[in-house]
């Protein structure tokens, strides 16, 4: 295991409510990523972080924000959830001895009603 | 922009038969390529990766992949499929800069008895 946990693992929420997903790593890796997975689309990058307080947008960042106040935690916030954000969200980390390989967390299944 | 194409959405293979999953990429420089596998309800597990050197790379679970620059391909193979190989398989290319991944849309492998 790459020492990545995601919480919650499952969440059901209503349209318009804010939602925060947490990714926690015990590996002290510099790089962290958030992807979403949807049928027929594979995985698409939402945001990524290359250090504490250093983040940038990915391919599908609209409606999402992130924060990284310490190395081990990378938070993804849906500021006002919409049904189109129903998805499975994966966090990934990279660094250490495998500086060019990403390792993935178990995922969070989010349903927006 | 870099892209990854997995032409087959679904493939069905008989148990014990050989398997080849196709992956084509578009990338300007020498690519770093990956294959991940995802079992139902699980996260992504790294099968193998290609960075440089020998174009035939070995991975876990008896999988191998061959990098062919002339064909812009990185096809995944296994000589004899087991029922436990039924899963979704993703090919990905590492992007320069902050090492984000671009994924293909995935190939679902079904194994028939």
């Amino acid at each position: 295991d790459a020492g990545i946990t995601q919480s919650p693992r499952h969440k059901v929420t209503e349209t318009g409510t804010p939602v925060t997903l947490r990714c926690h790593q015990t590996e002290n890796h510099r790089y962290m990523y958030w992807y979403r997975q949807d049928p027929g689309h594979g995985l698409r990058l939402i945001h990524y972080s290359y250090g504490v307080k250093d983040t940038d947008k990915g391919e599908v960042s609209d409606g999402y924000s992130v924060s990284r106040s310490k190395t081990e935690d990378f938070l993804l916030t849906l500021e006002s959830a919409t049904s189109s954000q129903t998805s499975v969200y994966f966090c990934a980390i990279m660094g250490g001895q495998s500086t060019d390989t990403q390792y993935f967390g178990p995922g969070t299944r989010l349903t927006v009603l | 922009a870099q892209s990854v194409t997995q032409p087959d959405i679904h493939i069905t293979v008989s148990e014990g038969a050989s398997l080849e999953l196709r992956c084509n990429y578009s990338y300007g420089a020498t690519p770093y390529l990956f294959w991940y596998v995802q079992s139902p309800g699980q996260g992504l597990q790294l099968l193998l990766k290609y960075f440089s050197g020998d174009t035939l790379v070995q991975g876990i679970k008896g999988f191998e992949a061959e990098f062919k620059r002339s064909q812009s391909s990185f096809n995944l193979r296994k000589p004899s499929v087991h029922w436990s190989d039924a899963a979704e398989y993703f090919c990905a290319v590492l992007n320069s800069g902050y090492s984000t991944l671009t994924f293909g849309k995935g190939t679902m492998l079904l194994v028939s008895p």
Side-chain angles (χ1 to χ4, degrees):
Chain A
D1 288 348
I4 312 169
T5 58
Q6 293 184 232
S7 59
R9 293 292 314 279
H10 301 271
K11 186 172 182 66
V12 180
T13 191
E14 294 188 350
T15 297
T17 60
V19 176
T20 296
L21 308 183
R22 180 186 186 226
C23 177
H24 178 78
Q25 60 148 328
T26 59
E27 306 295 320
N28 201 36
H29 287 347
R30 178 182 176 190
Y31 296 94
M32 299 184 76
Y33 308 83
W34 277 108
Y35 294 88
R36 61 177 289 173
Q37 182 181 23
D38 304 289
H41 290 277
L43 280 82
R44 293 177 291 174
L45 181 68
I46 306 172
H47 279 279
Y48 60 98
S49 170
Y50 45 95
V52 174
K53 299 190 187 302
D54 292 323
T55 65
D56 206 347
K57 297 179 180 180
E59 176 188 357
V60 290
S61 60
D62 287 349
Y64 301 95
S65 63
V66 290
S67 66
R68 191 165 178 205
S69 59
K70 46 187 177 178
T71 299
E72 58 265 35
D73 288 326
F74 191 31
L75 304 181
L76 176 71
T77 297
L78 290 65
E79 291 148 11
S80 178
T82 67
S83 58
S84 65
Q85 293 175 312
T86 293
S87 187
V88 181
Y89 292 86
F90 286 99
C91 174
I93 64 174
M94 187 177 73
Q97 294 183 346
S98 297
T99 55
D100 291 309
T101 301
Q102 291 186 21
Y103 295 94
F104 286 79
T108 293
R109 182 173 295 277
L110 176 67
T111 302
V112 183
L113 302 176
Chain B
Q2 42 272 24
S3 64
V4 176
T5 302
Q6 294 180 246
D8 304 303
I9 298 174
H10 296 98
I11 282 186
T12 300
V13 174
S14 299
E15 190 169 16
S18 63
L19 169 70
E20 183 170 32
L21 302 183
R22 296 183 290 165
C23 172
N24 293 97
Y25 67 89
S26 172
Y27 191 75
T30 300
Y32 286 12
L33 295 160
F34 304 82
W35 276 100
Y36 287 88
V37 61
Q38 184 183 34
S39 298
Q42 304 296 312
L44 277 73
Q45 181 182 20
L46 179 69
L47 278 178
L48 48 78
K49 59 188 178 183
Y50 171 77
F51 287 174
S52 64
D54 193 346
T55 56
L56 185 64
V57 293
Q58 302 297 320
I60 62 171
K61 304 185 180 187
F63 285 91
E64 66 178 26
E66 186 171 13
F67 171 64
K68 293 186 177 179
R69 184 186 301 276
S70 62
Q71 299 178 18
S72 297
S73 70
F74 187 56
N75 293 349
L76 182 70
R77 301 194 295 244
K78 187 171 185 179
S80 178
V81 168
H82 187 262
W83 63 266
S84 60
D85 293 323
E88 191 159 22
Y89 293 78
F90 293 95
C91 181
V93 64
L94 190 73
N95 304 304
S96 60
Y98 292 108
S99 298
T100 60
L101 286 173
T102 297
F103 283 87
K105 295 183 178 181
T107 297
M108 182 67 72
L109 173 66
L110 306 174
V111 180
S112 61

